[in-house]
Amino acid sequence: MFNLDAVSQSWRPFIRHLKYRIHAPPVPSFPQLMQGRNVVIVGSAPRSCRPKHWDDNFRVVTINASQMAAHSWLTETPDLTLMQFNQIEGMNANALEVRRVLAGQHTKRLCLLHWRHGLARLEHGLAAFGYRYDELHLMSRYARIALMQAVMGQLNLELETGSKWSNGIVAAALAIESGAANVILTGINPISSGHGYNQLDLKRQHCDSDFAALQLFRLRQHPVFTADAAVADQTGLPLWSGG
């Protein structure tokens, strides 16, 4: 019997790859912000800390609502925030919590990932929970694929949830592509569960792919460190000691 779903699934990688080639997006980067800087990627998995030898040279990139998970030490406005499209209108528990804790907050540059609607709808959605920004940027699915291929040396078409890299890993890749001198991760632990800005203890969706990404950073000799001693022990990523 002819199985239309099976045929559709078998063609999916080819179609995604074809669309990627047709779009041929430039690799996104923020060299004016990160070139030659120590860039801190702040996650919420579930705890983060201020890296050693913090000074004005550091640039801070937050993920979704991680600026609130780091509120005890991150007193500066984030230089850049990467936010998944679903956080704007989604009705799942995580999206609702993101909007709740970010209400009235601010970032210097907001980069929305995979936004599929018009700009006016996005601006309206952000205004609805009072999240403010100085600059607004969009990163399409295909631009994200191009970024990760450039930095990781692998083409990941993001066909399955388990194969995707988390936004924290994407932020680290963005810092590398932007010429960061060092990339310091904090609050990014692929072995953990939960988010530092709520008590829902939600399971992480990218554990295996993120763990593999950390190993790939080492293999490709990218200057990626962790500020979290436990993560260094668990993943083999070098512990940031200043530099």
Side-chain angles (χ1 to χ4, degrees), residues 31 51-52 61 72 85 92 95 112 115 150 163 180 188 191 195 211 217 240:
K52 291 182 178 179
V61 181
S72 64
F85 73 95
N92 62 29
L112 250 292
W115 183 253
S163 68
I188 295 179
I191 301 173
H195 297 76
F211 188 89
F217 284 145
W240 173 254

Side-chain angles (χ1 to χ4, degrees), residues 188-191 211 214-215 218 226 230-238:
I188 295 179
N189 183 354
I191 301 173
F211 188 89
L214 298 184
Q215 308 312 307
R218 295 179 61 200
T226 178
V231 175
D233 291 340
Q234 293 167 344
T235 66
L237 206 63

Side-chain angles (χ1 to χ4, degrees), residues 111-124:
C111 182
L112 250 292
L113 304 176
H114 304 179
W115 183 253
R116 300 178 178 92
H117 309 293
L119 185 60
R121 180 168 170 175
L122 173 57
E123 291 172 339
H124 176 77

Side-chain angles (χ1 to χ4, degrees), residues 15-26 140-143:
I15 293 172
R16 177 70 59 83
H17 195 187
L18 180 62
K19 287 182 177 179
Y20 172 54
R21 294 303 180 192
I22 291 172
H23 283 273
S140 70
R141 178 192 300 277
Y142 300 107

Side-chain angles (χ1 to χ4, degrees), residues 70-82:
H71 72 277
S72 64
W73 63 267
L74 182 59
T75 57
E76 300 85 353
T77 299
D79 295 291
L80 174 66
T81 297
L82 268 60

Side-chain angles (χ1 to χ4, degrees), residues 4 13 21 29 32 38 63 69 89 93 97 109 114 118 128 141 160 172 180 183 195 200 223 232:
L4 183 59
R21 294 303 180 192
S29 66
Q32 298 89 345
N38 292 326
I63 312 300
E89 299 177 337
E97 280 296 293
R109 300 164 186 84
H114 304 179
R141 178 192 300 277
E160 307 296 339
V183 181
H195 297 76
L200 300 178

